[in-house]
């Protein structure tokens, strides 16, 4: 599971591809709020091989946002066993 977050000009998070986004957008918004930046938004791109669990997708989303907020590349890789 690979998640990449880039900041955008408007608040809110857009997740691509949409079918894989179950809960990922909310996880990204929660991560922004947890870091005191609820007014920010951006694009969260998800890439997978296989079928990662929903928890792994949400964790990757939150870690990618945290990476971007800390000045990093905004990328997170999470391994997960198939559900």
């Amino acid at each position: 599971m690979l998640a990449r977050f880039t900041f955008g000009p408007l608040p809110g998070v857009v997740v691509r591809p949409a079918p894989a986004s179950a809960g990922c957008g909310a996880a990204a918004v929660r991560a922004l709020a947890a870091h005191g930046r609820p007014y920010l938004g951006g694009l969260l791109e998800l890439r997978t091989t296989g079928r990662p669990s929903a928890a792994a997708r949400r964790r990757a989303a939150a870690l990618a946002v945290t990476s971007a907020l800390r000045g990093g590349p905004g990328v997170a890789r999470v391994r997960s066993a198939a559900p």
Side-chain angles (χ1 to χ4, degrees):
M1 170 90 231
L2 174 73
R4 180 177 310 229
F5 181 78
T6 53
F7 292 105
L10 300 173
V13 175
V14 175
V15 182
R16 291 189 188 147
S21 67
C24 294
V29 169
R30 281 193 301 273
L32 288 167
H35 289 283
R37 305 286 198 295
Y39 52 85
L40 294 176
L43 173 66
L44 178 65
E45 296 177 86
L46 304 172
R47 295 186 186 157
T48 66
T49 55
R51 293 188 48 160
S53 66
R57 291 191 303 263
R58 290 189 303 268
R59 180 164 167 72
L63 290 172
V65 169
T66 300
S67 172
L69 287 170
R70 291 181 177 169
V75 174
R77 293 180 193 271
V78 174
R79 290 185 183 206
S80 169

